[in-house]
């Protein structure tokens, strides 16, 4: 069971790193217009909210960004998944 949990935590990060290595414009493109230097936001997303960052990248490439309903839905699903991963660890620690 621990192996399955570790695999669930590492998979979005692994996908994001591989995507960044093989097509960096997909990962860096959605964050290009921000005032913060370009690689900072994807790196923070890799560490703290990897599924949400993948959702933003997918929404930018497939749906034209977060402005469309489908893109926003993808990002919100990623955020719920990330919040569940973070919240689940806290719930177990309290028991």
């Amino acid at each position: 069971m621990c192996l399955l949990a570790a695999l669930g935590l590492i998979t979005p990060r692994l996908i994001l790193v591989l995507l960044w290595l093989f097509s960096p414009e997909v990962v860096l493109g959605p964050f290009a217009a921000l005032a913060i230097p370009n690689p900072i936001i994807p790196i923070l997303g890799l560490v703290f909210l990897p599924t949400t960052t993948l959702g933003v990248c997918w929404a930018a490439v497939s749906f034209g960004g977060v402005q469309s309903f489908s893109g926003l839905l993808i990002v919100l699903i990623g955020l719920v998944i990330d919040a569940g991963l973070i919240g689940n660890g806290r719930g177990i620690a309290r028991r």
Side-chain angles (χ1 to χ4, degrees):
M1 205 55 150
C2 289
L3 180 63
L4 191 61
L7 186 64
L9 289 173
I10 197 74
T11 301
R13 289 172 175 89
L14 182 64
I15 291 171
L16 193 59
V17 166
L18 290 175
L19 190 64
W20 200 338
L21 288 175
F22 291 113
S23 64
E25 66 278 353
V26 172
V27 177
L28 297 175
F31 308 105
L34 298 176
I36 299 172
N38 205 4
I40 300 292
I41 298 294
I43 290 172
L44 289 174
L46 178 71
V47 174
F48 295 111
L49 298 171
T51 310
T52 306
T53 308
L54 277 174
V56 169
C57 295
W58 184 28
V61 170
S62 299
F63 303 111
V66 185
Q67 293 81 15
S68 69
F69 176 74
S70 300
L72 183 62
L73 186 64
I74 294 296
V75 172
L76 288 177
I77 289 171
L79 187 63
V80 167
I81 290 171
D82 282 333
L85 289 173
I86 293 169
N88 193 15
R90 289 183 186 154
I92 292 173
R94 288 185 201 157
R95 292 181 195 165

